[in-house]
Amino acid sequence: MDLVRDLLAFVDAGPSPAHVAAEMGRRLEKAGFSLLDERQRWKLEAGDQRYVVRDGGSVIAFRVGSASPSDRGLRLVGAHTDSPALRVRPRPDLIRHGYRQIGVEPYGGLLLHTWLDRDLTLAGRIAVRSADGGIEMRLVRLQGAPLRIPSLAIHLDRTIRSEGLQLDPQRHMAPVWATTGDGSEPDLLSAIAEELGCPADAILGHELVAADTQPPALGGAEEEFVFAPRLDNLLSCHLGLHSLASAPRAEVTQILICNDHEEAGSTSAEGAAGSFLEDALRRIVSALEGADPQAFAMTTARSWLVSADAAHAVHPNFAERHDAEHQPRLGGGPVLKSNANQSYASDAGSSAWFFARCADAGVPMQHFVTRADLPCGSTIGPLTAARLGIQTVDAGAPLLSMHSIREQVAADDLEALASALGAHYQAPAGE
């Protein structure tokens, strides 16, 4: 249960990808990892515990093994720091019908209706001009619940009962910030400047998301569930970090990669389609093995990656949306995700690897495939495998309410997935 409650604290500390990366850095420092700078030369030796952050939202942490990477390969766990959300537009302030509102746009495939009638705040990072003329990136999280997206009363649209709720993200999702009369209410950037203690004209840019203010909680008849925002995929970031920090030193080098921008397709400098992981791995291999031109390819050929993203648990009210033979349930253990068209990276070899790691950890394993008549989502797994040529398996904890503002997972599945990831980090190098 300590692991479960620690997840609640981790999720609460991470309302935006920038906050997640900062919290990971804090925890890594506490566990004995030290920060590397991409702008500096890296000098590494066996036993080193280091981490690096790119653009404030993506994190790579690693522990250098006692054997050379080209001889024993790497053990990697992948996750992502971002979640579906409403992101604030560059010019955020709207004045409409006596209300001051905040302009937002959907980020990722969020379930829009779940954001209605929630107590919301804004969080993210702000670019501020410093006193010396440079640019400083600062985190912000507005206090209280300054935002809300009110539902339309059924009396004003009774077709909701017959036709369902139809939401236009351009017209219907702008949160209410204040009433406006004499214009004395603060605009958004003025409120942020007050929170940061800087002049409003010092703010040069922002990356802000709306976030639920209701804290994560335990629920269910015996507190067997976690109800929380952003479990996809802060759950895997947390468990990957926990498993890496608690894994014993080994021959193989152990790595955690948590990318930003997965929910938007991963096409960015710090996303899984970008160069962040490849750059870091090449530098690790080079720092440990010198200029051998074949060392990197030998390393990736001996490596294994678990792409740990959330899996779809069967919904008791919509069980027909699952393939009849592949219906993972909450509390049933980690889920191996497969797709014939490579939306997931799992193949026979990597699936066997993960099955063996679950067996090593003494935890059950479940299976998920999308119905043949439904489209399949994807993860960082296929992108990373294609870019680096590393054997990759897609797996994760089963969720309900995926991409809702609040999601649901079984507490037992957290312990089980952490054990499987720990076994992955400790697997014998010869396998």
Side-chain angles (χ1 to χ4, degrees), residues 10-94:
F10 181 81
V11 171
D12 193 53
S16 76
H19 283 84
V20 175
E23 176 65 8
M24 291 184 68
R26 186 190 70 81
R27 288 169 176 248
L28 285 163
E29 294 279 351
K30 186 176 180 181
F33 290 72
S34 57
L35 181 64
L36 286 168
D37 189 332
E38 286 196 274
R39 299 168 297 182
Q40 304 295 326
R41 293 188 182 276
W42 293 5
K43 296 181 179 180
L44 302 172
E45 58 185 34
D48 281 353
Q49 298 186 127
R50 314 302 288 272
Y51 74 100
V52 61
V53 180
R54 179 176 285 188
D55 201 26
S58 294
V59 180
I60 293 172
F62 61 94
R63 180 184 294 113
V64 179
S66 60
S68 64
S70 62
D71 285 339
R72 294 294 185 265
L74 313 168
R75 299 290 178 270
L76 303 98
V77 171
H80 60 89
T81 60
D82 61 323
S83 302
L86 295 171
R87 294 213 166 189
V88 176
R89 293 181 183 274
R91 300 180 64 184
D93 294 292
L94 305 173

Side-chain angles (χ1 to χ4, degrees), residues 79-330:
H80 60 89
T81 60
D82 61 323
S83 302
L86 295 171
R87 294 213 166 189
V88 176
R89 293 181 183 274
R91 300 180 64 184
D93 294 292
L94 305 173
I95 304 294
R96 300 194 301 195
H97 306 288
Y99 297 97
R100 185 179 284 273
Q101 296 176 270
I102 304 301
V104 296
E105 58 184 314
Y107 173 83
L110 70 167
L111 291 173
L112 287 176
H113 68 276
T114 66
W115 288 74
L116 302 180
D117 302 328
R118 305 292 306 187
D119 300 338
L120 304 174
T121 188
L122 292 177
R125 63 178 187 158
I126 308 295
V128 178
R129 184 177 291 281
S130 57
D132 62 3
I135 297 175
E136 177 186 358
M137 304 303 298
R138 298 179 62 182
L139 295 181
V140 68
R141 183 179 193 171
L142 295 183
Q143 300 301 305
L147 299 175
R148 192 169 185 268
I149 309 170
S151 298
L152 181 66
I154 195 170
H155 313 78
L156 303 179
D157 184 8
R158 297 186 185 275
T159 63
I160 289 176
R161 289 178 173 172
S162 58
E163 299 178 11
L165 180 62
Q166 304 293 322
L167 292 173
D168 181 335
Q170 176 68 19
R171 296 185 296 131
H172 300 150
M173 297 305 294
V176 172
W177 168 261
T179 56
T180 182
D182 60 5
S184 62
E185 73 285 346
D187 61 41
L188 177 59
L189 294 187
S190 295
I192 290 173
E194 182 177 355
E195 183 77 16
L196 295 177
C198 70
D201 60 6
I203 295 177
L204 304 180
H206 58 80
E207 293 175 2
L208 294 168
V209 296
D212 190 7
T213 60
Q214 182 179 354
L218 297 176
E222 297 181 330
E223 293 192 334
E224 67 266 44
F225 300 126
V226 172
F227 305 143
R230 303 180 297 279
L231 290 175
D232 177 13
N233 190 28
L234 300 197
L235 180 155
S236 295
C237 292
H238 175 262
L239 296 184
L241 179 56
H242 167 81
S243 299
L244 175 64
S246 59
R249 299 177 187 274
E251 283 191 320
V252 295
T253 296
Q254 303 153 327
I255 298 175
L256 173 66
I257 166 68
C258 294
N259 292 108
D260 197 359
H261 299 149
E262 190 274 346
E263 299 291 357
S266 294
T267 307
S268 67
E270 61 270 32
S275 66
F276 185 33
L277 180 57
E278 181 176 357
D279 290 345
L281 296 189
R282 287 189 180 278
R283 296 182 74 167
I284 291 169
V285 173
S286 176
L288 296 172
E289 302 202 31
D292 182 351
Q294 298 195 50
F296 183 75
M298 294 168 65
T299 298
T300 56
R302 290 189 166 101
S303 300
W304 297 92
L305 165 66
V306 176
S307 168
D309 207 342
H312 294 287
V314 63
H315 194 304
N317 300 334
F318 299 91
E320 72 280 0
R321 305 302 287 181
H322 272 64
D323 180 78
E325 303 305 320
H326 301 84
Q327 298 191 347
R329 60 177 181 82
L330 296 188

Side-chain angles (χ1 to χ4, degrees), residues 361-382:
V363 300
M365 191 189 78
Q366 306 184 88
H367 290 269
F368 173 78
V369 297
T370 302
R371 279 176 46 140
D373 55 352
L374 293 176
C376 182
S378 192
T379 70
I380 66 169

